[in-house]
Amino acid sequence: MKAIERAAKLFADINELLISSGANTRRVERNVERISNALNYHCESFYSHSAIVLTVQDKATGEKETVVRAIPHHGVNFSAISDISILSWEALEKHLPIEQIEKHVATIKAKPHYNVLGKDQASYAEFAMSFIATFLGLAGRRILQLRKFNVYICWGWAAFVSVSVMSIFRLLGVEHYHNALAACVLWLVPGVPLINGFIDMLSGCIVPGVAKLTHAAILVFMISLGFYLALLLFGYELP
């Protein structure tokens, strides 16, 4: 593999890791720019919601290499973002060779993600009910994800399961459940794409910004739809 091809692959890996971990577009650009400068390359990037196009130029020879990389998923992993940011400064300040940077990136990729098992101020009973509803909603979403269902269907189904569990508690005679009902779907709120979408828009990255906000809006709609269908099926009593 030619040196510029190897560098382009590394920069594409870093872009993919940062974007799929929830970094906003400007942060991705800054991190990749620091690492590319450390290796004496210049990068130009175009970001959409599901892919990136990366053109790498060798500052010494002028040789160019273009890479197109799909973004398979969008999640939240701030540890990975922080680790890449630290690595980018180390690469720039210590002039790390590409072999060492590749090794660090591979290590960051291999780190375990947040534990999927995740206090309500009302009561311990409502806390317990909210926990059970959230856990079963999380499990329901995970089952669909493993079966490669559309991400929006997964979100709607998770909300439906969580609210259905709370509705079953109500039907079993639990009177104080309204706070738990409101809290059981909060884990589904797409805060990262909403924030990053606004940051991208304000930074002038219109295409990825609109894409992130649209993605977040559809997720919110699916949460609302799942919530509504569960209440429609099981009924609801006003406090």
Side-chain angles (χ1 to χ4, degrees):
M1 182 184 294
K2 296 167 61 177
I4 192 170
E5 292 177 353
R6 184 178 182 181
K9 180 183 181 301
L10 172 63
F11 302 149
D13 287 343
I14 295 170
N15 270 277
E16 179 185 344
L17 178 59
L18 287 171
I19 294 172
S20 62
S21 297
N24 65 73
T25 305
R26 286 301 186 197
R27 182 162 190 169
V28 176
E29 289 179 336
R30 289 196 300 268
N31 280 271
V32 174
E33 182 181 7
R34 283 194 287 266
I35 295 175
S36 63
N37 285 337
L39 296 175
N40 202 34
Y41 289 98
H42 174 70
C43 289
E44 291 289 344
S45 307
F46 172 79
Y47 299 91
S48 73
H49 184 64
S50 58
I52 58 170
V53 180
L54 185 70
T55 298
V56 180
Q57 183 178 14
D58 190 321
K59 293 181 179 179
T61 65
E63 185 179 6
K64 293 184 178 181
E65 179 73 18
T66 298
V67 177
V68 179
R69 177 69 62 87
I71 306 299
H73 69 277
H74 290 262
V76 180
N77 189 351
F78 291 133
S79 294
I81 296 173
S82 177
D83 288 343
I84 290 291
S85 181
I86 293 170
L87 173 61
S88 70
W89 283 111
E90 288 184 352
L92 186 62
E93 295 171 358
K94 299 180 181 179
H95 303 287
L96 300 180
I98 190 170
E99 295 84 3
Q100 196 167 346
I101 297 174
E102 288 173 334
K103 186 180 297 185
H104 281 302
V105 172
T107 301
I108 294 169
K109 279 186 175 182
K111 285 184 177 180
H113 201 273
Y114 299 127
N115 193 330
V116 295
L117 300 177
K119 175 169 170 187
D120 189 73
Q121 297 178 355
S123 69
Y124 287 111
E126 286 190 283
F127 162 69
M129 290 187 294
S130 181
F131 175 83
I132 293 170
T134 297
F135 178 81
L136 293 177
L138 180 62
R141 186 185 70 174
R142 186 60 179 164
I143 291 171
L144 295 193
Q145 287 176 326
L146 291 174
R147 294 177 178 270
K148 308 299 183 182
F149 274 72
N150 178 278
V151 62
Y152 305 118
I153 299 297
C154 295
W155 248 250
W157 172 248
F160 177 82
V161 171
S162 292
V163 177
S164 295
V165 171
M166 289 306 309
S167 298
I168 291 172
F169 280 122
R170 178 184 64 82
L171 294 176
L172 291 175
V174 176
E175 295 182 358
H176 302 289
Y177 67 93
H178 299 92
N179 291 317
L181 177 63
C184 71
V185 295
L186 291 181
W187 62 281
L188 287 164
V189 175
V192 171
L194 283 169
I195 293 170
N196 284 343
F198 278 112
I199 291 174
D200 284 353
M201 293 284 285
L202 294 174
S203 301
C205 302
I206 304 301
V207 172
V210 170
K212 287 183 177 72
L213 291 175
T214 303
H215 172 64
I218 298 174
L219 290 177
V220 170
F221 171 77
M222 293 306 296
I223 296 169
S224 303
L225 181 62
F227 203 116
Y228 171 76
L229 291 176
L231 294 183
L232 184 65
L233 179 63
F234 291 96
Y236 177 71
E237 293 180 0
L238 294 173

